[in-house]
Amino acid sequence: AVVSTQSTGEPPTKKQKVTHLPESIEVEMSEQKNGNGAGNGAANGATGDIDESLYSRQLYVLGHEAMRKMAASTILICGMGGLGVEVAKDVALGGVKSVTIQDTKCTSYEDLSTQFFLRDEDLGRNRAEATLLS
């Protein structure tokens, strides 16, 4: 399954498009964007400047140029096990343009102890879809 969402720093507009494909699931969340298309507050659309109040710690370590590149990046993360969900969370919070998660496995009992978005109700569901809908 492939789940795609774009980060804006603002709550999503609650509009979801779900398309069921033969062997995968694609879920997109529609959110408000700022002028640069990143929609995550990482860069101001008019000037290309980074939102320093939101990303001050990252700017100190990475610098403005790296943050601009991150704000324009589209990331694919394969596998929503314990490690994949942590990576997805950290990358999304880092201020990238969009994150797409892909997973072909269904939720098992063992996943409940390693993946914090999954619940008992998600057993048997695709992990990527269950992660997005949690």
Side-chain angles (χ1 to χ4, degrees):
V2 176
V3 180
S4 180
T5 182
Q6 289 191 348
S7 172
T8 64
E10 298 178 14
T13 59
K14 305 289 185 195
K15 183 178 177 184
Q16 293 185 355
K17 177 182 177 184
V18 179
T19 306
H20 293 281
L21 302 174
E23 296 201 13
S24 66
I25 300 170
E26 185 174 334
V27 181
E28 296 181 18
M29 291 185 68
S30 171
E31 298 182 313
Q32 299 173 359
K33 295 181 181 180
N34 64 16
N36 72 342
N40 59 4
N44 181 327
T47 63
D49 291 335
I50 307 299
D51 183 355
E52 293 186 16
S53 64
L54 184 59
Y55 295 108
S56 61
R57 293 178 182 167
Q58 288 171 244
L59 283 169
Y60 179 74
V61 174
L62 302 174
H64 284 272
E65 186 60 29
M67 285 298 298
R68 282 187 197 95
K69 288 180 181 180
M70 283 181 59
S73 297
T74 301
I75 307 296
L76 169 66
I77 299 171
C78 298
M80 290 308 295
L83 179 61
V85 73
E86 281 292 327
V87 170
K89 174 191 63 117
D90 293 341
V91 167
L93 291 174
V96 298
K97 179 180 176 181
S98 68
V99 174
T100 301
I101 57 174
Q102 184 273 338
D103 198 327
T104 59
K105 295 183 180 178
C106 291
T107 303
S108 67
Y109 186 74
E110 292 80 19
D111 292 324
L112 298 179
S113 64
T114 60
Q115 217 266 39
F116 52 83
F117 283 120
L118 299 177
R119 303 176 309 258
D120 289 336
E121 307 80 70
D122 297 323
L123 289 171
R125 291 181 60 201
N126 178 274
R127 292 191 304 193
E129 182 183 38
T131 299
L132 179 69
L133 300 176
S134 293

